[in-house]
Amino acid sequence: RKEVEQDPGPFNVPEGATVAFNCTYSNSASQSFFWYRQDCRKEPKLLMSVYSSGNEDGRFTAQLNRASQYISLLIRDSKLSDSATYLCVVNIDNFNKFYFGSGTKLNVKP
Amino acid sequence: NAGVTQTPKFQVLKTGQSMTLQCAQDMNHNSMYWYRQDPGMGLRLIYYSASEGTTDKGEVPNGYNVSRLNKREFSLRLESAAPSQTSVYFCASRSGGAYEQYFGPGTRLTVT
């Protein structure tokens, strides 16, 4: 069983739409959670960390549900520039082993 | 600051050949990582180094060796390349006190 699972998509949405992705993790001892963004053929870059209380950064909101073992990412007012693959990342135990989901692809259309 | 740099950017090997992928960071980070990314699989950790002088296996270490040459440099060696090692390899680094990993641009390796 994979440590982190994501719907690969693609999610095709018009500009201005709100879109949400979920990610589930299997290890209840997971400690830290992140969303990374990866553009085509580029390296991943941190989008935001996910805190227990939830957190917001502009148009992006991340939530953690420990009881159901999933994290979510909500993007409001989608822009063309939001088109990318979004990677869910979970850290277990010692902050040196990070497990990546396979990513959810988002296409924002004009 | 260059951040994390990787060489080479592209490489084609024949089965059985060996090579070393180089990675360097100029952010004075303690931890460094090697991942591979295959279609539909996400990034998988090959090896990591929590600090200079230490290395540990990740999820998929078989067929690879690493060296943490100094605080800046962390190399990945394929002793006898196999077609199953065709992948994109990313190096990353992280400061000890923060969780964000900074990635290099990747090395695209094809083994024929």
Side-chain angles (χ1 to χ4, degrees), chain B residues 25 28-30 32 52 68-73:
Chain B
Q25 52 92 8
N28 201 36
H29 286 171
N30 290 319
M32 297 186 74
E52 187 179 353
R68 183 76 182 265
L69 304 168
N70 48 54
K71 193 169 187 180
R72 289 187 64 248
E73 297 172 287

Side-chain angles (χ1 to χ4, degrees), chain B:
Chain B
N1 284 353
V4 180
T5 57
Q6 292 184 236
T7 55
K9 286 188 167 51
F10 300 93
Q11 184 71 48
V12 178
L13 291 179
K14 293 189 189 312
T15 297
Q17 287 185 317
S18 62
M19 78 161 295
T20 300
L21 281 63
Q22 306 287 354
C23 173
Q25 52 92 8
D26 61 2
M27 296 175 282
N28 201 36
H29 286 171
N30 290 319
S31 300
M32 297 186 74
Y33 309 82
W34 276 106
Y35 293 91
R36 60 178 288 173
Q37 186 173 32
D38 303 298
M41 297 290 290
L43 278 79
R44 291 182 291 168
L45 183 64
I46 304 171
Y47 271 93
Y48 66 94
S49 171
S51 61
E52 187 179 353
T54 69
T55 61
D56 282 289
K57 295 178 181 179
E59 285 181 84
V60 288
N62 291 345
Y64 305 96
N65 286 303
V66 291
S67 295
R68 183 76 182 265
L69 304 168
N70 48 54
K71 193 169 187 180
R72 289 187 64 248
E73 297 172 287
F74 188 38
S75 63
L76 178 72
R77 182 160 178 84
L78 287 70
E79 290 291 351
S80 178
S84 60
Q85 294 179 304
T86 293
S87 189
V88 180
Y89 290 86
F90 287 103
C91 176
S93 71
R94 184 178 69 88
S95 170
Y99 303 147
E100 178 176 3
Q101 294 179 78
Y102 293 83
F103 286 84
T107 294
R108 282 166 174 74
L109 175 67
T110 301
V111 183
T112 61

